[in-house]
């Protein structure tokens, strides 16, 4: 019998969550060092295995990277994943800079770079919000990025949104097919899957051979983001069963995101803790046991 690896449970820091002010209906800016320290503390408080943060936040001067590494070690929190948003029209010289940032962050120990794609700025008004770009353009960008980072042992995982996941995930399937036989992998956001009216466990099984990371978000029956994971329609037991069938998934990141009219009744730290407890308390959640 083989063993099912337990995916690392990560706390995914997002500017949206850390800048949200309950009742204000908008976000405000906060300094990056302050957010990183708060994120580390929230990850510890919630009992997470690690952290997912923005590449832009950690790719500073070497002394900044060294200071962050010390903070991670002191709190015994790993930085398992980074995320970045990239335009499919990014010029080669800008892509070189992005790769340089990703390589510079290698000493922090991250394993996965989750990539959100957007069309070139001049084209964005033509498409609905959350449009990732044309599959051919996305695949071209992802392959370039993945091949550049593969020698460093870092996996590039594409994060599709509702527009690519809807209609039986047609655009996602086309992009995946265009990336076949390359190092490109997939980051499946289960909240986006729900908002696309698709089945999270079903898509996890369908694309499971290339899925390396998950984003865990929950939604209400009418499609709004929940205050924490475990309070909405996300069927965590079915996700757990699918994960046991697809042990290649290495990290599941809990992500908080609120709609403008979401009723936020608890502190972000409490929602982080409750979400982690809901996931870990799910019957059948992989824990590295034999199957």
């Amino acid at each position: 019998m083989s063993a099912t690896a337990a995916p690392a449970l990560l706390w995914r820091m997002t500017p949206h969550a850390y800048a949200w002010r309950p009742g204000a209906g908008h976000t405000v800016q906060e300094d990056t060092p302050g957010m990183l320290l708060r994120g580390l503390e929230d990850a510890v408080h919630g009992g997470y295995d690690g952290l997912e943060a923005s590449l832009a936040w950690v790719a500073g001067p070497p002394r900044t990277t060294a200071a962050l590494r010390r903070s991670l070690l002191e709190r015994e929190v790993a930085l398992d994943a980074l995320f970045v948003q990239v335009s499919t029209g990014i010029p080669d010289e800008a892509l070189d800079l992005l790769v340089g940032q990703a390589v510079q962050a290698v000493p922090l120990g991250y394993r996965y770079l989750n990539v959100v794609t957007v069309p070139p700025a001049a084209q964005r008004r033509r498409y609905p919000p959350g449009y990732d770009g044309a599959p051919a353009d996305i695949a071209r960008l992802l392959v370039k990025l993945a091949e550049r980072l593969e020698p460093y042992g870092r996996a590039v995982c594409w994060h599709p949104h509702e527009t690519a996941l809807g209609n039986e995930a047609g655009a996602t399937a086309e992009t995946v097919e265009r990336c076949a036989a390359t190092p490109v992998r997939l980051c499946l956001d289960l909240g986006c899957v729900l908002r696309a009216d698709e089945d999270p466990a079903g898509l996890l099984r369908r694309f499971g051979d290339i899925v390396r990371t998950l984003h865990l978000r929950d939604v209400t029956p009418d499609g709004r983001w929940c205050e924490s994971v475990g309070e909405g329609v996300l069927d965590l037991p079915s996700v757990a069963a699918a994960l046991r069938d697809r042990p290649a998934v290495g990290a599941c990141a809990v992500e908080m995101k609120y709609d403008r009219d979401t009723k936020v009744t608890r502190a972000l730290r409490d929602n982080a803790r409750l979400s982690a407890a809901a996931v870990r308390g799910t019957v059948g959640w992989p824990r590295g046991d034999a199957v």
Side-chain angles (χ1 to χ4, degrees):
M1 302 292 282
S2 62
T4 298
L9 186 62
L10 310 183
W11 172 236
R12 184 176 193 260
M13 292 185 59
T14 60
H16 174 95
Y18 276 85
W20 182 262
R21 295 296 178 266
H26 63 278
T27 60
V28 297
Q29 296 300 314
E30 186 171 336
D31 65 288
T32 295
M35 282 196 292
L36 277 169
L37 288 175
R38 284 179 60 194
L40 283 168
E41 297 298 342
D42 291 347
V44 171
H45 180 76
Y48 288 86
D49 301 316
L51 192 69
E52 179 177 348
S54 168
L55 172 62
W57 296 350
V58 303
R63 62 180 181 276
T64 301
T65 303
L68 176 57
R69 187 171 180 81
R70 286 195 299 272
S71 295
L72 290 164
L73 291 172
E74 288 169 2
R75 292 165 175 80
E76 297 183 344
V77 174
L79 183 63
D80 279 339
L82 298 174
F83 65 88
V84 66
Q85 178 174 292
V86 189
S87 167
T88 56
I90 186 172
D92 287 343
E93 58 270 22
L95 184 62
D96 290 341
L97 291 174
L98 175 60
V99 171
Q101 286 184 315
V103 171
Q104 183 177 310
V106 164
L108 292 171
Y110 75 97
R111 296 179 291 164
Y112 309 103
L113 181 65
N114 293 326
V115 180
V116 171
T117 58
V118 293
Q123 300 178 16
R124 288 176 203 167
R125 290 185 179 179
R126 305 179 195 171
Y127 302 103
Y131 176 69
D132 301 287
D137 296 335
I138 297 170
R140 190 179 307 113
L141 167 65
L142 293 173
V143 170
K144 284 184 181 179
L145 193 53
E147 288 178 343
R148 296 278 294 278
L149 290 179
E150 187 181 29
Y152 298 92
R154 271 55 191 173
V156 169
C157 307
W158 178 50
H159 178 307
H161 288 100
E162 292 96 315
T163 51
L165 292 164
N167 298 315
E168 300 181 344
T172 297
E174 181 181 345
T175 304
V176 166
E177 178 62 28
R178 289 176 178 274
C179 294
T182 76
V184 175
R185 296 296 178 257
L186 201 61
C187 170
L188 203 57
D189 186 315
L190 302 188
C192 289
V193 172
L194 288 170
R195 279 191 153 188
D197 292 324
E198 300 293 337
D199 173 39
L203 288 191
L204 182 52
R205 287 192 170 92
R206 177 180 172 187
F207 295 113
D209 289 343
I210 64 164
V211 176
R212 292 296 178 271
T213 58
L214 296 182
H215 283 171
L216 301 177
R217 291 195 277 180
D218 213 341
V219 301
T220 62
D222 60 353
R224 290 180 172 82
W225 298 123
C226 288
E227 190 172 356
S228 65
V229 174
E231 297 184 334
V233 300
L234 179 61
D235 186 350
L236 283 170
S238 71
V239 171
L243 281 174
R244 293 176 71 85
D245 293 340
R246 295 290 186 270
V249 177
C252 301
V254 168
E255 178 181 357
M256 296 289 99
K257 187 164 180 101
Y258 304 132
D259 290 299
R260 194 172 289 271
D261 56 353
T262 301
K263 293 182 179 179
V264 181
T265 64
R266 296 180 295 264
L268 181 62
R269 174 173 292 191
D270 292 331
N271 282 325
R273 176 179 52 80
L274 290 169
S275 296
V279 173
R280 286 209 166 97
T282 298
V283 174
W285 191 262
R287 289 175 176 81
D289 48 328
V291 295

